[in-house]
Amino acid sequence: MSTTFEAVFSSWPAQPWLVLMLLFTAAVYGRGWRFLRRHDPVRWNYGPLTAFIGGLLAMYLALASPIEAFAPFLLQVHMLQHLLLMMVVPPLIWLGKPFLPLLRGLPTEIRRYWVAPLLHWRKLQRVATMITHPVTAFFIFLAVTWLWHLPGPYETALANDAWHKVQHLCFLVAGLIFWYPVIRPFPARPGWSRWWLIPFLILADVQNTLLAAWITFSDHSLYPHYLQMPRLGGISALDDQSAAGVIMWVPGSVVFLAPLLWIGVKLMKIQTQGYTQRRATVSPSIARPQSSGRAIYFDLLRSSFVGPILRWRWTRRLVQTIALLIALTVIVDGLWGSQVGAMNLAGVVPWIHWRGLVIFGLLIAGNVFCYGCPFLLPRTVARWLFRGLGNRPWPDVLRTKWLAVALLAIFLWAYEAFSLWNSPWVTAWIVIFYFTGALLVDSIFRGAAFCKYVCPIGQFNFVQSVISPWEVRVREPTVCTTCHTRDCIQGNSTTPGCELQLFQPQKIGNLDCTFCLDCVRACPENNVGIMVVAPTKSLWRDGLRSGIGRLSRRIDYAALAMVLLFGAFANAAGMIAPIVDWEARISTTLGVSSTFFITALFYVLCLFVLPTICLGLTTMASRWLMSAQRNPREIFCRFAWTLTPLGFGMWMAHYSFHFFTGLDAIVPAAQQFVAKLGIDSFGPPNWICSCCRPAPDWLLKAELMMLDMGFLASLFATWQISSGLAANVNNSTQTQNWRTLKAALPWFLLQLALFALGVWILLQPMQMRGMLPAGGS
């Protein structure tokens, strides 16, 4: 046996009083549980008993195991102890529904003469009601957590055993108060709405993230006590502190987000049931299943300020013209300007500003890039000048997303292989080829063939726009039942219809929608708007989608979503030191000096090999746990989309880093460009703006919060889809919940693994690509 294991097994502290107290509590609970089970075996099954005993065992591990012995030597072990006391023991205790079993387990005299009067004491009831309200419970939990992790109180607890016990007691009590409103242990009946728990848990995760980030990224040891302790395992005090912060961060976020997911699902189901009675009777051929008979959502086109601007027929052309001028400027500077990326608009605008604005635009306003896409303007002019262009149908064999999948994979590889962020000349030619490709394809084929089947940027926007809170959709489905012209898709004498053949009454979500708003202007009934929708809601449904079909049968769409998901992690990982070092070792081992080959190997692994293995195993595990003879292809196509929010969170975190660290890099590049045009009024370039400035302190916390939100949305979407697949009218609610959990569990684990990978990537020092110093690119 190794010295470490021997030390662990010999470090069980003697805690007889704690052991006796836990055994006594377990005996009282068990006695009461047996009595209650005889009268109501359904409510008092083995679940509450298992949870309560599990809570007592977790308390024993926290206070009477080697965790207690090693806590003074390693901060990460001490943090694990705090996690058990605040986030594991309390929810398990409350899940055990302890009130009635403990009460019935006590001797009759004690219960009647001591406990009953205390429970009926009105002042005690008022105090208990006040401190278990979500607002009060949150601030108690917040105060206890932050107070005891400040250096002064923390050092006091480590130096004095009595204060150490007080600290543990505070953690346990604060945890019990915090988790009480979340679990509502039977027979509790609080008088406040469960909607309180949504901000309650989100804010709890936010404060946990901030505290964990402070501990993780501090450049000095916050607790001098650990500087004086022997360094077990050779780990430094600062590395130990960082590990402790990560323990608080990642498992802590999961503990807060998991019940938020569960509660959100329950509340959404209740709200959905409330809308059921308001659904209109609409023709099945064009009805949207979730639509109501009257507009119940906010419509952006009906706002007094934004609405008229968006409805004006020339707004899109104006935006496209501005974007075209910017693109032409990028081309000119990229071909004839400085070939240092940070000193050229072609190295700054596309790879720092445009990417960041696109991702924020998708989150806030929807597919704004496709709305203002400059590449379609030359095509529009060509079709106006030469009637009859673009009349051929797109070949049937290419009416899938496989071409777009291949082009996306090539683009992701080329970005690394050619260092596009530092290659203005190559970037300029990419823009030129984009204009040429759009003009050539759409001059031959009708519809928006380039947008739907070719454009890699469009595919990125289509997939990520499922996160957007806006959707172009009909206002009143009943109006569409009496419409015979169908101008929204066919167009009329003044306005073209939808080129992507998305028939509005049957359209679900934002997939393949360019937000061109032609359907808005073509509708004779003014029945199409830009409506507020629940982000990711379109992923839960498997209805017949106009222009797409059913997502459960479109493996090409699922493959597109997966390339973008794993591409998000691969693209971010390519800029951190561990991956760069790994590529260098592989290059040395294989004796290959070609960057193209090593980068290709990396992306083949990240975009094809690893996804195939991970998704294949996850799909088969989900199918096996569902105990249903469902087609693995259907399971993959449904659940693959649940990973999209997590991928969006990674894209957003990654692009935010470049955007906010290089936000003012456009200033000197623009100064140099206009100076070459003979305009000196803007002064000489201030190249300090293009240097590697330190990232703001808040940026990493914001990045991790973005990833957190994407993770939460993926969990929620997974539960919704799993609930639909596991539904069976012949099963009880409890059985259906168990089937839902089993079907979702493999995908939960995959999402957790990707979330942890994303956290690890974001915690690594990142290259400041596109900036002046050589070390940044």
Side-chain angles (χ1 to χ4, degrees):
M1 182 181 291
S2 69
T3 305
T4 303
F5 280 106
E6 187 176 354
V8 170
F9 283 112
S10 62
S11 301
W12 290 80
Q15 298 280 7
W17 291 108
L18 176 65
V19 173
L20 289 175
M21 182 192 72
L22 294 177
L23 289 175
F24 174 76
T25 305
V28 172
Y29 181 92
R31 182 172 182 263
W33 175 82
R34 286 195 302 271
F35 173 85
L36 295 168
R37 180 170 172 78
R38 286 196 297 269
H39 293 80
D40 189 356
V42 175
R43 182 184 298 276
W44 300 102
N45 52 43
Y46 286 97
L49 176 65
T50 303
F52 189 82
I53 298 301
L56 298 183
L57 288 174
M59 189 183 302
Y60 173 77
L61 288 175
L63 301 175
S65 75
I67 293 177
E68 172 69 12
F70 282 90
F73 298 95
L74 291 171
L75 178 58
Q76 55 189 296
V77 177
H78 208 171
M79 193 63 70
L80 176 61
Q81 186 181 48
H82 296 173
L83 195 71
L84 288 171
L85 289 174
M86 300 189 77
M87 301 185 185
V88 177
V89 174
L92 287 175
I93 293 295
W94 291 134
L95 286 171
K97 307 173 185 177
F99 293 124
L100 293 183
L102 288 176
L103 194 61
R104 293 298 311 182
L106 291 172
T108 304
E109 291 77 10
I110 295 177
R111 185 172 66 247
R112 181 178 300 172
Y113 298 110
W114 291 11
V115 179
L118 188 65
L119 294 178
H120 286 88
W121 188 16
R122 292 300 180 89
K123 290 185 178 180
L124 180 62
Q125 291 177 353
R126 286 196 294 269
V127 171
T129 301
M130 179 186 68
I131 65 174
T132 56
H133 189 279
V135 175
T136 312
F138 171 77
F139 283 107
I140 291 175
F141 188 83
L142 177 71
V144 169
T145 303
W146 281 79
L147 175 65
W148 280 112
H149 283 95
L150 293 176
Y154 198 97
E155 286 287 308
T156 301
L158 289 172
N160 187 293
D161 187 61
W163 278 111
H164 201 185
K165 288 182 172 59
V166 170
Q167 181 193 52
H168 288 167
L169 181 63
C170 289
F171 285 152
L172 181 60
V173 172
L176 289 169
I177 293 173
F178 177 86
W179 290 105
Y180 180 88
V182 176
I183 297 174
R184 294 187 178 191
F186 179 81
R189 292 292 184 271
W192 38 264
S193 170
R194 290 183 72 88
W195 285 101
W196 276 95
L197 298 180
I198 302 297
F200 178 72
L201 289 168
I202 290 177
L203 290 175
D205 184 39
V206 170
Q207 67 84 27
N208 181 76
T209 299
L210 294 176
L211 179 57
W214 174 59
I215 295 173
T216 303
F217 302 116
S218 177
D219 57 359
H220 65 280
S221 182
L222 296 172
Y223 310 113
H225 168 88
Y226 291 101
L227 293 173
Q228 304 168 9
M229 291 291 103
R231 302 315 311 160
L232 302 182
I235 184 173
S236 68
L238 200 57
D239 289 341
D240 178 35
Q241 180 174 289
S242 297
V246 172
I247 289 174
M248 171 183 278
W249 201 329
V250 179
S253 290
V254 173
V255 171
F256 289 123
L257 295 178
L260 180 60
L261 166 69
W262 179 268
I263 293 167
V265 169
K266 294 295 184 184
L267 292 175
M268 288 293 291
K269 285 184 177 180
I270 293 172
Q271 189 177 32
T272 301
Q273 292 171 359
Y275 286 138
T276 301
Q277 298 179 351
R278 296 202 297 268
R279 290 179 180 172
T281 303
V282 187
S283 174
S285 62
I286 64 170
R288 295 174 57 102
Q290 88 287 8
S291 299
S292 64
R294 56 191 179 90
I296 59 174
Y297 300 111
F298 175 76
D299 185 353
L300 189 63
L301 292 181
R302 287 180 171 172
S303 66
S304 58
F305 176 71
V306 180
I309 296 175
L310 292 176
R311 287 195 299 269
W312 186 43
R313 61 178 303 183
W314 298 110
T315 299
R316 191 187 187 203
R317 298 291 178 252
L318 178 62
V319 175
Q320 287 178 312
T321 302
I322 295 172
L324 177 63
L325 293 175
I326 295 173
L328 293 176
T329 303
V330 167
I331 292 173
V332 171
D333 204 19
L335 294 178
W336 293 285
S338 169
Q339 291 306 301
V340 177
M343 302 175 69
N344 194 299
L345 290 174
V348 173
V349 174
W351 308 119
I352 295 178
H353 298 83
W354 170 74
R355 294 193 307 178
L357 292 173
V358 163
I359 203 74
F360 285 118
L362 284 165
L363 178 66
I364 298 171
N367 193 357
V368 291
F369 174 79
C370 288
Y371 175 82
C373 176
F375 303 121
L376 298 184
L377 202 54
R379 180 209 69 173
T380 303
V381 174
R383 285 186 175 179
W384 179 69
L385 292 175
F386 305 101
R387 303 291 181 179
L389 285 178
N391 285 330
R392 295 186 180 182
W394 183 253
D396 290 340
V397 70
L398 295 178
R399 288 183 177 273
T400 66
K401 294 292 185 179
W402 292 116
L403 176 60
V405 168
L407 291 174
L408 264 174
I410 292 172
F411 177 80
L412 290 171
W413 164 77
Y415 175 79
E416 291 287 340
F418 292 97
S419 301
L420 294 182
W421 64 90
N422 198 34
S423 305
W425 188 83
V426 177
T427 300
W429 275 107
I430 290 175
V431 178
I432 292 172
F433 284 139
Y434 242 102
F435 277 110
T436 305
L439 181 61
L440 180 63
V441 171
D442 286 345
S443 295
I444 299 175
F445 302 102
R446 61 171 172 259
F450 180 80
C451 299
K452 186 166 186 174
Y453 300 112
V454 180
C455 178
I457 297 175
Q459 310 312 314
F460 178 90
N461 293 329
F462 291 155
V463 172
Q464 308 307 327
S465 63
V466 301
I467 310 298
S468 172
W470 302 100
E471 179 184 342
V472 178
R473 53 180 284 191
V474 296
R475 293 174 176 139
E476 298 281 356
T478 52
V479 174
C480 297
T481 61
T482 59
C483 177
H484 301 291
T485 60
R486 300 190 173 183
D487 289 357
C488 62
I489 193 171
Q490 296 181 8
N492 51 43
S493 59
T494 60
T495 307
C498 180
E499 290 188 301
L500 285 92
Q501 299 299 297
L502 302 179
F503 184 44
Q504 275 300 322
Q506 289 182 335
K507 176 177 169 290
I508 299 176
N510 291 321
L511 280 176
D512 285 358
C513 178
T514 60
F515 271 56
C516 66
L517 303 186
D518 284 339
C519 57
V520 171
R521 288 179 283 272
C523 179
E525 303 293 338
N526 192 26
N527 194 39
V528 182
I530 303 178
M531 319 293 286
V532 172
V533 294
T536 75
K537 187 174 182 179
S538 64
L539 301 182
W540 313 340
R541 301 173 51 206
D542 192 33
L544 191 64
R545 301 166 185 253
S546 178
I548 297 174
R550 297 185 186 275
L551 284 182
S552 61
R553 301 176 184 175
R554 295 300 301 266
I555 194 169
D556 54 326
Y557 275 80
L560 176 65
M562 291 303 93
V563 165
L564 285 169
L565 165 74
F566 286 93
F569 288 87
N571 193 241
M575 60 181 288
I576 61 176
I579 299 300
V580 174
D581 294 341
W582 174 82
E583 290 178 337
R585 290 195 300 270
I586 293 296
S587 178
T588 303
T589 303
L590 298 178
V592 178
S593 59
S594 172
T595 305
F596 300 97
F597 175 79
I598 298 300
T599 306
L601 177 62
F602 174 70
Y603 273 94
V604 167
L605 287 173
C606 291
L607 298 185
F608 299 106
V609 178
L610 292 178
T612 301
I613 295 173
C614 294
L615 294 168
L617 292 175
T618 305
T619 299
M620 297 311 297
S622 182
R623 181 174 184 264
W624 177 70
L625 289 173
M626 287 172 65
S627 301
Q629 296 301 315
R630 286 189 177 271
N631 190 331
R633 176 172 173 167
E634 178 189 356
I635 295 174
F636 165 70
C637 291
R638 291 298 309 278
F639 281 106
W641 283 97
T642 66
L643 299 166
T644 302
L646 182 58
F648 181 84
M650 193 67 209
W651 282 118
M652 192 172 183
H654 179 197
Y655 286 173
S656 295
F657 175 82
H658 291 296
F659 183 75
F660 289 109
T661 55
L663 185 60
D664 53 355
I666 193 174
V667 175
Q671 288 175 314
Q672 177 174 261
F673 177 77
V674 297
K676 290 180 179 179
L677 299 178
I679 304 174
D680 298 326
S681 56
F682 293 97
N686 181 17
W687 295 114
I688 192 65
C689 297
S690 296
C691 291
C692 284
R693 294 184 176 182
D697 293 337
W698 55 266
L699 182 55
L700 181 58
K701 301 167 189 172
E703 290 178 82
L704 289 163
M705 187 58 60
M706 296 168 193
L707 194 63
D708 275 353
M709 293 298 101
F711 178 51
L712 175 61
S714 286
L715 292 176
F716 187 75
T718 301
W719 183 267
Q720 289 290 83
I721 291 177
S722 179
S723 179
L725 292 176
N728 190 323
V729 295
N730 297 322
N731 291 332
S732 65
T733 301
Q734 185 175 0
T735 302
Q736 288 196 22
N737 287 339
W738 175 239
R739 285 167 55 87
T740 299
L741 179 60
K742 289 197 298 181
L745 183 59
W747 297 96
F748 284 164
L749 295 177
L750 177 59
Q751 290 159 9
L752 179 60
L754 289 172
F755 173 69
L757 175 63
V759 171
W760 177 76
I761 291 173
L762 295 178
L763 292 179
Q764 304 300 314
M766 291 192 175
Q767 296 177 348
M768 308 281 280
R769 291 182 170 179
M771 309 301 282
L772 273 180
S777 179

